[in-house]
């Protein structure tokens, strides 16, 4: 796997396999969220990065205003969770996922859970829901 888009495309299939409604590149607050999935009526967002997890973390910080749960997903490090990763995520509302390209049965592994107990904006949640549904319909039309 050479590109971030490969991670996203594989994650789409992974989350669809779990029965979730999934959409990509969902516009939110002058950016786009790599992947948003709906689980029991709640929208969860994921920012993917092959490298530079700190940049993904910064990007994901704005997602909390519209998402129930926010994650970043990075390639599973060979040496596991570094001290720096641990310190960043242990008290953060943003969760950490590892992408393990060697394990198709468990492609995405939750390392630090995302909190749903963070400040969400009602209008932000409405914007994200509308953008998610619009992107989902567009992507559905492109498949046919």
């Amino acid at each position: 796997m050479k590109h971030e888009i490969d991670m996203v495309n594989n994650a789409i299939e992974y989350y669809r396999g779990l029965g979730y409604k999934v959409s990509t590149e969902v516009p939110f607050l002058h950016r786009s969220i790599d992947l948003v999935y709906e689980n029991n009526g709640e929208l969860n967002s994921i920012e993917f990065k092959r490298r530079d997890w700190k940049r993904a973390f910064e990007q994901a910080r704005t997602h909390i205003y519209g998402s129930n749960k926010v994650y970043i997903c990075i390639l599973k490090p060979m040496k596991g969770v570094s001290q720096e990763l641990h310190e960043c995520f242990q008290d953060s509302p943003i969760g950490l996922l590892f992408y393990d390209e060697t394990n198709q049965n468990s492609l995405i592994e939750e390392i630090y859970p995302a909190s749903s107990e963070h400040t969400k904006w009602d209008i932000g949640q409405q914007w994200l829901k509308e953008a998610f549904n619009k992107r989902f319909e567009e992507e559905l039309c492109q498949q046919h």
Side-chain angles (χ1 to χ4, degrees), residues 70-86:
V70 178
Y71 294 93
I72 72 163
C73 184
I74 62 173
L75 290 175
K76 184 175 184 176
M78 297 293 253
K79 297 180 181 176
V81 178
S82 69
Q83 185 64 30
E84 189 177 20
L85 268 175
H86 175 72

Side-chain angles (χ1 to χ4, degrees), residues 55-139:
R55 183 161 177 257
F57 188 83
E58 287 304 310
Q59 289 173 305
R61 289 173 65 161
T62 59
H63 304 175
I64 65 172
Y65 299 118
S67 303
N68 291 88
K69 292 184 178 180
V70 178
Y71 294 93
I72 72 163
C73 184
I74 62 173
L75 290 175
K76 184 175 184 176
M78 297 293 253
K79 297 180 181 176
V81 178
S82 69
Q83 185 64 30
E84 189 177 20
L85 268 175
H86 175 72
E87 289 172 5
C88 185
F89 285 92
Q90 69 179 354
D91 296 322
S92 172
I94 298 170
L96 175 64
L97 304 171
F98 281 170
Y99 179 97
D100 185 357
E101 61 190 335
T102 65
N103 188 349
Q104 291 304 311
N105 294 328
S106 183
L107 184 69
I108 309 281
E109 179 185 359
E110 184 178 65
I111 304 304
Y112 290 99
S115 171
S116 58
E117 303 299 317
H118 59 265
T119 303
K120 293 178 277 293
W121 297 342
D122 289 342
I123 190 68
Q125 289 187 296
Q126 181 181 332
W127 289 338
L128 184 59
K129 183 85 169 162
E130 289 170 4
F132 173 77
N133 287 326
K134 183 177 181 193
R135 282 291 297 148
F136 183 79
E137 292 300 321
E138 290 170 356
E139 291 173 351

